[in-house]
Amino acid sequence: MRGDLKTTVAHSSGGLTMGFQLTGLKRCPHCSIASPHFTAAWVSQGPTNRTDGGKRLCWGSYACSSCGSIVTCSADVQGNVVTFFGIFPDAKTAHEDIPEPARTFLQQAYETLHAPDAAAVMAGSAVDAMLKAHGLEAGSLYARIDEALTKNLLTKGMADWAHEIRLGSNRPRHADKEKPHVSPDEAKQSVEFAEALGNFLFVLTARVDRGLKAATGVDVIKHG
Ligand SMILES: [Zn+2]
């Protein structure tokens, strides 16, 4: 359940449904603007029909007043209470298996995508902190990415990807004098790389560890 989301109750030909405004989202999951204004583009006329016996829910799509993009959500509407179940897409959250301070830098990168320079700097800081967590502390960010490759911490593909994007604020570039700012697309690519690196270095490893422990545990019980 999503207690952070709120709307009013509206009456429709099919029964009670969700109201005109959606509030409570901290940021728009598309443009990441803070305290977004979402207004209904469409709401179902009461709960939608289903044949699988599951709970019938109201559905609605809401448009962000800043970027115009749509979020879709489902809710149970009873009396004057709206209980939200899900929202799609949801705001991005840096995975808890990524260690601090990398996780906070990545979260800030997600939340500053509307300000590309800031997002690229935060993505660079996240990558920097992830490499430091693996003991790679000396030299420039890109030198350490190469070092991570030679230590088999990264795949060749990931290292190549890192070199193709614009991480951080001071990557030496011939074009920097003419083009000091990071484009929205470049920022998005930097943040995607930082996210992938976090998944690769920490999230996947932690999942494998947990899976292995669980599997070994089951095995021990089965044979013990
Ligand atoms: Zn938006």
Side-chain angles (χ1 to χ4, degrees), residues 28 30-33 64 66-69:
C28 170
H30 299 284
C31 69
S32 75
I33 195 162
C64 167
S66 173
C67 70
S69 303

Side-chain angles (χ1 to χ4, degrees), residues 158-180:
M158 289 212 68
D160 287 346
W161 183 9
H163 282 280
E164 288 302 316
I165 57 172
R166 206 170 168 196
L167 286 169
S169 56
N170 50 7
R171 181 182 183 191
R173 266 193 157 202
H174 294 300
D176 273 3
K177 264 183 207 157
E178 295 82 45
K179 194 173 165 286

Side-chain angles (χ1 to χ4, degrees), residues 52-80:
D52 63 358
K55 191 175 181 55
R56 291 175 67 214
L57 298 173
C58 295
W59 284 81
S61 58
Y62 291 82
C64 167
S65 64
S66 173
C67 70
S69 303
I70 296 268
V71 297
T72 306
C73 47
S74 60
D76 180 36
V77 184
Q78 300 285 344
N80 56 1

